[in-house]
Amino acid sequence: MPYRAPVSEFRFILDHVVDLAQVAATERFSEATPETVEAILTEAGRMFEDVFAPLNRNGDLHPAKLENGVVRTSKGFSDGYQALVDGGWLGLSAPAEFGGMDLPHTLTTAFNDMASASCLSLGLNPLLSQGQIEALEAHAPDWMKELYLPKLISGEWTGTMNLTESQAGSDVGALRTKAEPNGDGTYAVTGQKIYISWGDHDFGGNVCHLVLARLPDAAPGTRGISLFMVPKFIPDEDGNLGEANSLRVVSLEHKMGLHGSPTCVMQFDGAKGWLVGQEHKGMAAMFTMMNNARLGVGVQGIGAADGAYQHALAYALDRKQGKTPVEGSGAIVDHADVRRMLLTMKADLFASRCIALANAVAVDMQKAGAGAEWTTRAAVLTPITKAFGTEVGMRVAELGVQVHGGMGFIEETGAAQYSRDVRVTAIYEGTNGIQAMDLVGRKMMDGGEGIYALLDEIEETAEAARANLPEMGRALWQAAESLRETSEWMVAQTDMNVRFAGAVPYLMAFARVLGGHFHLKAAMQEAEDGPRRKLARFYIDRLLPDHTGLLAQAMAGAADLYALSPEELTA
């Protein structure tokens, strides 16, 4: 089924729901005019439809391979990546000083959404380079910026992030990779990293690894971690590639999905590296890249959801099976349960996409120096975007298989690929449980002020809707009040494990209420019989009520989680 880039959907959300105009009104992003936004979205959408989408199935059937130490990517992936380079797409939000367009990250978010929907395996590659560009811009010494950023922004070189080790997954502080000074300002980096997405490829150019490692005098835990640039090839001062560095791909992981994306085990044997940022402050530098990636990974889930939805909808509109109780085309789309699944997919896709784009707007306003409240807003929305976006991706892809019925379990239909590919997004860049713990932990250190500010905005929307959409406005206001009460309860808990026990349902309830907020904002832009009003009513009547049970779980405490002993769990 051909992929259709949702350009008009992005334009509606940017214009009427998340208010991109306020970003364009800043001096920093004044070039993001409506005409520019339209051109960017249209041209990017065309590329993803024509170039990326035809590669998606091929990447699944013909995975990347490691042959004689060289990673061979899926057929056509090199051409797909070259289309990114030729269009200058990697520099969309990158600094103009080093060759980028310096446009809002909100546009990059829409770009990543379409990349993930059309070919998630290949779309992961530019996502990593985007994050590395931001990390280097914020933390690298000037000479490194001047050498690496133009190459990364042009796409001539690609970037990776190397955190995980076999004994140090989510507990990054347990890493053992070491970096020893060479005496000339460089370091010898030694250790093994796993799960390195796009750790190598055959696209040409350089692969630039950002590697977390520990200096000889480092303290234990995350306080003793430093960050290093360790390139595949050691460049000279003009960026010409020299000798190969002392690193190699040991193997490629055999994965459930994302077969077209080479996920590498990387070995560093005294590889030459350069310090990024300050000694022992590597986590602060890496978190710049990780926060960028957390928004990006949430968007990967949303994009995959869009691909799965479009695939399932096309099948439902065409497949005839059984007598339907209503007059229509005779296709399975006329069955009530199929309609329920499709509407759930569409409604959650819209809700999660709005959350992600609102997150990106907050990031842009923060970059534009619009005030500390935008920094707080971005911080609160980031874990919600990542966790809810990927949960929606998994759920929509699963429903996509169900819409196909028995054929969904047959690989040739392509429905299963979306489910397999998107599954990892809930795991990497911090599992969704870790995102939820961050929300009820670090993001409540201000006493919940950032959360309450969002709730105030949601209730303002609910009040504004009471004139024309009273029932939906009342339902959203009540949901926001319930969320406020639970938030106050969370803030009051001094036992962090009590908070953590209810963190995931709390985050999901928050996302549900935010989704109602954005659906209602969209509905207020249309006439009484408009499709967005109908979709908003479906969401608020059928999906928003989930928050009640989720909030009850959030306040259930931790005692019942530990009531069964480990021995009783095995009984």
Side-chain angles (χ1 to χ4, degrees):
M1 183 217 74
Y3 165 69
R4 180 184 59 82
V7 173
S8 60
E9 181 82 336
F10 284 123
R11 285 310 311 269
F12 177 85
I13 295 172
L14 296 178
D15 290 345
H16 302 296
V17 181
V18 302
D19 194 12
L20 182 63
Q22 64 187 319
V23 175
T26 67
E27 183 179 354
R28 170 75 183 269
F29 296 115
S30 59
E31 293 187 11
T33 63
E35 295 76 19
T36 298
V37 171
E38 177 73 30
I40 291 290
L41 293 174
T42 300
E43 289 305 312
R46 184 177 294 117
M47 180 191 65
F48 289 124
E49 290 174 349
D50 297 342
V51 181
F52 264 49
L55 300 174
N56 191 46
R57 189 71 179 140
N58 189 59
D60 190 53
L61 296 175
H62 306 286
K65 296 180 179 180
L66 181 63
E67 297 178 345
N68 300 319
V70 178
V71 172
R72 305 293 184 191
T73 57
S74 304
K75 183 179 180 181
F77 271 38
S78 181
D79 293 336
Y81 182 77
Q82 190 60 44
L84 293 177
V85 175
D86 292 344
W89 293 110
L90 283 143
L92 197 57
S93 300
E97 177 185 359
F98 299 104
M101 301 182 204
D102 211 12
L103 288 168
H105 191 69
T106 305
L107 291 182
T108 295
T109 299
F111 174 91
N112 289 338
D113 186 325
M114 292 186 282
S116 302
S118 55
C119 185
L120 184 57
S121 287
L122 183 54
L124 180 54
N125 183 298
L127 181 70
L128 291 159
S129 292
Q130 292 163 12
Q132 188 170 115
I133 289 166
E134 187 166 336
L136 294 180
E137 183 186 5
H139 301 284
D142 289 342
W143 71 265
M144 189 181 291
K145 294 179 187 178
E146 292 167 4
L147 177 59
Y148 282 86
L149 285 179
K151 300 287 189 180
L152 289 165
I153 289 169
S154 70
E156 183 179 345
W157 296 356
T158 61
T160 73
M161 55 194 302
N162 289 245
L163 292 80
T164 307
E165 300 178 12
S166 57
Q167 80 293 340
S170 299
D171 182 13
V172 179
L175 68 83
R176 296 172 186 159
T177 298
K178 60 182 180 180
E180 298 180 343
N182 289 324
D184 60 356
T186 66
Y187 297 80
V189 177
T190 301
Q192 189 174 97
K193 300 288 186 177
I194 63 173
Y195 304 151
I196 309 307
S197 299
W198 284 97
D200 197 21
H201 53 72
D202 54 1
F203 297 167
N206 211 351
V207 182
C208 308
H209 300 284
L210 281 183
V211 183
L212 288 178
R214 200 179 297 282
L215 290 167
D217 61 344
T222 56
R223 293 180 298 114
I225 295 176
S226 300
L227 182 64
F228 300 87
M229 169 61 76
V230 187
K232 178 180 178 180
F233 297 103
I234 300 173
D236 64 20
E237 61 184 13
D238 296 320
N240 301 308
L241 299 185
E243 64 181 16
N245 211 342
S246 300
L247 56 88
R248 61 190 174 90
V249 179
V250 175
S251 62
L252 299 185
E253 307 286 7
H254 298 282
K255 300 174 295 184
M256 175 180 174
L258 286 182
H259 295 152
S261 168
T263 304
C264 307
V265 176
M266 298 295 306
Q267 181 68 40
F268 299 88
D269 295 311
K272 183 174 288 189
W274 288 262
L275 184 68
V276 178
Q278 301 177 39
E279 292 184 355
H280 315 309
K281 301 293 184 183
M283 285 304 295
M286 185 58 90
F287 259 110
T288 299
M289 185 171 185
M290 288 175 67
N291 279 330
N292 179 294
R294 284 172 174 174
L295 170 55
V297 170
V299 170
Q300 283 186 317
I302 296 161
D306 192 12
Y309 171 68
Q310 291 191 30
H311 202 77
L313 178 61
Y315 184 82
L317 290 170
D318 180 70
R319 172 70 167 167
K320 290 180 170 60
Q321 186 76 58
K323 181 177 174 62
T324 62
V326 296
E327 290 188 11
S329 65
I332 63 171
V333 71
D334 295 331
H335 288 288
D337 192 56
V338 173
R339 191 65 68 92
R340 175 192 63 82
M341 289 188 285
L342 291 171
L343 281 167
T344 298
M345 296 164 82
K346 185 177 179 65
D348 263 348
L349 176 58
F350 181 83
S352 57
R353 181 172 277 154
C354 289
I355 291 171
L357 290 170
N359 192 164
V361 165
V363 169
D364 286 328
M365 294 299 284
Q366 174 189 351
K367 288 183 178 179
E373 66 272 17
W374 291 103
T375 301
T376 302
R377 182 183 176 98
V380 171
L381 287 175
T382 295
I384 299 174
T385 298
K386 195 279 181 182
F388 187 63
T390 58
E391 290 288 339
V392 165
M394 292 189 300
R395 179 60 175 153
V396 168
E398 177 192 7
L399 286 172
V401 172
Q402 191 71 15
V403 168
H404 280 76
M407 292 306 295
F409 205 65
I410 304 302
E411 286 287 355
E412 282 77 4
T413 64
Q417 182 185 346
Y418 292 105
S419 188
R420 290 186 288 100
D421 283 356
V422 77
R423 185 60 186 83
V424 72
T425 61
I427 298 171
Y428 60 27
E429 299 313 325
T431 65
N432 287 355
I434 287 175
Q435 304 304 318
M437 291 164 68
D438 175 53
L439 180 62
V440 302
R442 187 178 294 110
K443 304 305 164 57
M444 286 186 172
M445 290 176 66
D446 62 356
E449 288 186 14
I451 288 169
Y452 300 143
L454 268 174
L455 289 172
D456 289 343
E457 183 178 320
I458 293 169
E459 291 185 349
E460 287 173 9
T461 297
E463 289 291 349
R466 286 191 182 235
N468 297 317
L469 300 168
E471 292 181 3
M472 287 196 279
R474 183 164 50 251
L476 179 62
W477 191 90
Q478 291 172 344
E481 274 298 291
S482 296
L483 180 57
R484 186 185 297 275
E485 291 170 4
T486 304
S487 301
E488 292 168 349
W489 181 90
M490 276 284 181
V491 170
Q493 303 309 304
T494 56
D495 183 345
M496 291 306 296
N497 210 36
V498 170
R499 291 195 198 183
F500 294 160
V504 168
Y506 174 79
L507 183 149
M508 292 303 161
F510 207 138
R512 271 278 165 255
V513 177
L514 277 170
H517 165 63
F518 290 124
H519 267 288
L520 192 52
K521 288 188 73 172
M524 291 163 66
Q525 300 296 319
E526 285 193 333
E528 185 173 351
D529 60 346
R532 297 190 186 279
R533 284 201 177 190
K534 296 173 184 176
L535 188 64
R537 180 165 294 283
F538 172 86
Y539 183 95
I540 289 174
D541 286 352
R542 290 179 177 258
L543 302 183
L544 180 61
D546 289 351
H547 82 279
T548 302
L550 289 167
L551 292 178
Q553 294 178 54
M555 295 191 290
D560 61 335
L561 301 183
Y562 296 90
L564 287 176
S565 67
E567 293 75 21
E568 289 172 322
L569 285 170
T570 63

